[in-house]
Amino acid sequence: MSKQRSLLKDRSTLLTMNPSSVSNTHIIGLLEFTSYSDRIIRIIRKHWHILWHVPGCTDFPLIDLRRTKSIKNILVHTEMIFTHSIVNTSPTDHYKCGRCSSCPFSLQIKEIYDENSNFRFTIRQFSTCQTEDVVYLIRCPCNLLYIGSTTRAVGVRTGEHHSRIRNAVMEAPLVEHFITHHHSETDLLFTVLWINQKKCEVRQDSECLLRQQETRLIYLFKSIYPGRLNSELDFNCFT
Ligand SMILES: [Zn+2]
Ligand SMILES: [Zn+2]
């Protein structure tokens, strides 16, 4: 139909701009449609004379009222957002805390297998350098292991090991091994094996639980001197 109508008109008529298509010089104002819309428009109309002298504002604006957001718009997204990163909501191994000097020495591993003892241990608890009440593991460059425990933050405790190696305080097989085998303090890497999550009202009870788990793991990893880095097995914690 449109084509037929256009064929009835001459070319010059068709090329002349239609007055109705000339852009309107009115300002177009967008407002959300609410129960207050009429009052807002009345207020704008009442005070529009303030802007009359501004170029382009001679005429009252055309107000376009938009539909407000419905509950559906608020609650339901039209697009699902997918991210490629999968957030592990329940990590079960050791992580750097990101804010301490022990972070570079954190071993982030889920499982430890020791060839010397043929013992495999899976880490099942989440920890960082700041975690307290832990049994921790230290590994040297020759893959010898040391098991220790502390009620303080593990990063603080392993920092003390670093300090003793740096100052060559030869009081235990661990430091002695690092010095005699020319390992540097930065070769000392650590991770957390076990966290005492039982709330003990008496501090000694907490320390005793840690000692017991430490002793069990020293026994299972067979990490006792000579040839390994733990000095002794202490069974007093079981009595
Ligand atoms: Zn840290
Ligand atoms: Zn070594």
Side-chain angles (χ1 to χ4, degrees):
M1 286 295 291
S2 300
K3 186 182 176 187
Q4 286 172 351
R5 277 207 309 271
S6 65
L7 290 172
L8 296 174
K9 294 183 180 179
D10 63 84
R11 190 169 186 272
S12 60
T13 306
L14 290 170
L15 290 174
T16 306
M17 190 172 285
N18 187 343
S20 64
S21 69
V22 176
S23 60
N24 203 302
T25 55
H26 279 79
I27 294 171
I28 297 174
L30 290 172
L31 282 179
E32 281 199 353
F33 179 73
T34 66
S35 56
Y36 299 104
S37 300
D38 283 347
R39 274 188 264 178
I40 293 169
I41 293 170
R42 276 204 302 276
I43 291 167
I44 295 172
R45 192 179 292 281
K46 181 181 174 184
H47 299 287
W48 189 254
H49 63 89
I50 298 169
L51 298 172
W52 276 349
H53 67 283
V54 177
C57 296
T58 313
D59 299 315
F60 184 75
L62 296 172
I63 303 293
D64 185 19
L65 296 175
R66 291 183 302 187
R67 182 173 63 85
T68 53
K69 284 184 179 177
S70 65
I71 293 176
K72 179 188 171 188
N73 294 139
I74 295 167
L75 297 179
V76 181
H77 294 284
T78 54
E79 288 181 25
M80 294 292 286
I81 299 168
F82 291 98
T83 59
H84 293 290
S85 62
I86 298 169
V87 178
N88 187 354
T89 54
S90 57
T92 55
D93 47 353
H94 181 70
Y95 287 82
K96 299 172 182 183
C97 75
R99 57 192 171 92
C100 83
S101 56
S102 293
C103 283
F105 312 111
S106 286
L107 267 175
Q108 193 181 321
I109 46 179
K110 287 186 180 296
E111 190 177 75
I112 303 139
Y113 173 68
D114 178 46
E115 283 187 348
N116 293 317
S117 56
N118 195 28
F119 179 62
R120 192 182 298 274
F121 183 86
T122 305
I123 298 170
R124 300 185 189 280
Q125 292 165 299
F126 168 76
S127 65
T128 71
C129 327
Q130 303 299 321
T131 306
E132 299 174 345
D133 286 326
V134 301
V135 175
Y136 59 92
L137 172 141
I138 285 174
R139 193 179 74 187
C140 83
C142 6
N143 280 331
L144 292 187
L145 305 179
Y146 171 88
I147 315 286
S149 66
T150 180
T151 54
R152 295 175 293 151
V154 64
V156 172
R157 180 69 187 111
T158 54
E160 290 173 349
H161 289 301
H162 281 114
S163 170
R164 286 188 183 135
I165 293 164
R166 184 169 58 248
N167 298 311
V169 182
M170 306 278 269
E171 62 174 15
L174 173 67
V175 181
E176 197 177 307
H177 174 84
F178 268 72
I179 302 299
T180 55
H181 287 72
H182 306 290
H183 301 332
S184 79
E185 60 171 299
T186 55
D187 291 326
L188 185 154
L189 303 177
F190 74 96
T191 193
V192 170
L193 297 178
W194 184 78
I195 306 165
N196 176 25
Q197 291 177 321
K198 189 175 176 183
K199 298 293 173 200
C200 302
E201 290 186 8
V202 182
R203 187 176 179 81
Q204 281 84 351
D205 290 346
S206 179
E207 288 174 354
C208 185
L209 282 173
L210 284 174
R211 291 274 181 213
Q212 289 175 358
Q213 185 67 359
E214 178 190 3
T215 303
R216 281 192 197 99
L217 288 168
I218 291 172
Y219 175 76
L220 292 167
F221 275 112
K222 295 183 171 53
S223 60
I224 313 156
Y225 182 84
R228 310 290 156 76
L229 303 181
N230 276 104
S231 57
E232 59 181 1
L233 266 178
D234 180 10
F235 291 105
N236 289 327
C237 53
F238 291 98
T239 57

